Amino acid sequence: MVEIVKPVQMQRVVSDAKRRGKSIGVVPTMGYLHDGHVALMREARRENDIVVLTIFVNPTQFGPNEDFEKYPRDIDRDKAIAEKENVDFIFNPSVDDIYPEGFSTYIDVEGVSELLEGEWRPGHFRGVATVVMKLFQITLPDRAYFGQKDAQQLMVIRKMVRDLHMPVSIKDVPTVREPDGLAMSSRNAYLSTDERKDAVILFTSLRDARDQIAQGERSRDVIVNGIRNAINTIRNARIDYVEIVDPETFKSVEKLEDDREYCIALAVRIGKTRLIDNIFINNK
Ligand code: PAF
């Protein structure tokens, strides 16, 4: 495995490989890898000749009072995991290499970026779309891999790729969960032992909602209030949002219809840690 830090060098390596007819699979991450990332690397390894893992904690997707500075980082551990997964290249640039002095071009994906996470984290998806566009320009993927845990991010990226005719196939991989159901996330590292136990409510409330829908419930209010009430039994939990949305547009729905797919998405603070999760409901 080779580590590359400079964008031009990365571009040179992948351009070269493409000229030799090799396919490139890219796994964009902010590092502090967990089994969710491992699932993405394995899928990329299965489908491509060359696998590039990018590790970059992207400052433009964090708000001024968010956790950019304290976001967990452990590059040596990440390298060991990537090596074990047979990644060919790690691209690990500096902030100055990605955002040089005078940088002023951003990608705004209107609509889907403005809802849910976009409302609670203004500018977040502008930062995500911009960095993903840059990473694609630098690593030239045929395929790029993202987790379903960040379902709204996935739609923002899919829309950007579609709207801008970008020649990359976006692949999504199911959320990897801890044995008790908590979705894997680098931010789980912030949780104390008690908070870790409390955090499972994100998953159990979603799972119970799915069961309720399977038993015939179709009212958005009944389902959302059920989830809210379950989360509110946890003293340390504060809800940012719970919504049932169309999985393409992320617009909220009022009533569930048969023969349609929905996503129930939520964001909850457990103590000071903000976690998101979602579940897909297929009423087809
Ligand atoms: O999902 C993430 O880890 C990040 O949002 C991404 C896609 C790597 C962009 O910084």
Side-chain angles (χ1 to χ4, degrees), residues 6-258:
K6 293 290 174 196
V8 281
Q9 196 192 345
M10 188 74 245
Q11 274 168 333
R12 212 172 290 143
V13 167
V14 283
S15 304
D16 225 53
K18 280 179 105 81
R19 224 172 292 125
R20 286 184 282 115
K22 306 285 185 203
S23 61
I24 315 279
V26 171
V27 181
T29 79
M30 299 205 299
Y32 213 70
L33 303 177
H34 50 67
D35 284 354
H37 298 117
V38 168
L40 302 179
M41 289 185 258
R42 290 193 179 160
E43 196 62 9
R45 183 69 285 167
R46 215 172 53 76
E47 295 187 330
N48 301 277
D49 299 320
I50 294 194
V51 175
V52 180
L53 174 77
T54 75
I55 297 183
F56 179 64
V57 184
N58 173 36
T60 63
Q61 71 187 75
F62 289 80
N65 299 317
E66 292 184 358
D67 55 344
F68 173 68
E69 294 296 341
K70 73 169 182 127
Y71 194 85
R73 292 160 170 91
D74 188 343
I75 188 66
D76 291 336
R77 187 171 149 274
D78 289 350
K79 281 187 203 164
I81 293 171
E83 181 93 58
K84 191 157 162 269
E85 297 304 325
N86 285 317
V87 163
D88 299 293
F89 297 98
I90 287 195
F91 177 56
N92 177 29
S94 70
V95 170
D96 287 346
D97 275 329
I98 295 296
Y99 297 108
E101 180 86 25
F103 176 82
S104 66
T105 305
Y106 294 88
I107 303 278
D108 257 317
V109 180
E110 294 177 354
V112 59
S113 284
E114 291 150 29
L115 306 165
L116 305 190
E117 280 298 282
E119 273 178 338
W120 284 86
R121 303 183 68 191
H124 169 65
F125 286 126
R126 183 187 201 231
V128 169
T130 302
V131 82
V132 170
M133 165 64 106
K134 281 168 149 293
L135 292 170
F136 285 1
Q137 295 291 90
I138 295 166
T139 59
L140 309 177
D142 295 288
R143 301 178 191 86
Y145 297 80
F146 296 89
Q148 287 172 0
K149 186 189 144 251
D150 296 301
Q152 195 177 358
Q153 163 174 287
L154 198 48
M155 280 324 297
V156 169
I157 293 166
R158 281 194 194 288
K159 187 144 202 315
M160 171 180 79
V161 162
R162 209 161 35 208
D163 286 356
L164 299 180
H165 310 275
M166 296 165 71
V168 48
S169 161
I170 301 301
K171 303 286 202 158
D172 55 303
V173 174
T175 303
V176 178
R177 297 182 181 279
E178 301 282 359
D180 67 356
L182 177 67
M184 299 254 178
S185 163
S186 305
R187 287 191 171 96
N188 292 349
Y190 297 146
L191 299 168
S192 68
T193 311
D194 283 345
E195 289 170 345
R196 168 65 189 81
K197 284 187 199 136
D198 289 344
V200 76
I201 194 69
L202 276 79
F203 171 69
T204 51
S205 63
L206 287 169
R207 183 200 55 198
D208 293 350
R210 186 180 55 198
D211 292 348
Q212 205 182 9
I213 295 166
Q215 282 155 24
E217 184 57 63
R218 291 290 178 266
S219 156
R220 176 255 174 216
D221 288 353
V222 171
I223 298 159
V224 166
N225 288 337
I227 297 172
R228 285 186 159 271
N229 291 340
I231 295 171
N232 285 333
T233 62
I234 305 291
R235 205 170 45 86
N236 236 342
R238 298 277 170 283
I239 297 170
D240 278 1
Y241 62 81
V242 179
E243 269 312 330
I244 306 179
V245 298
D246 175 308
E248 286 277 318
T249 61
F250 273 75
K251 286 189 181 148
S252 302
V253 298
E254 279 311 314
K255 198 170 176 348
L256 278 69
E257 291 164 21
D258 290 343

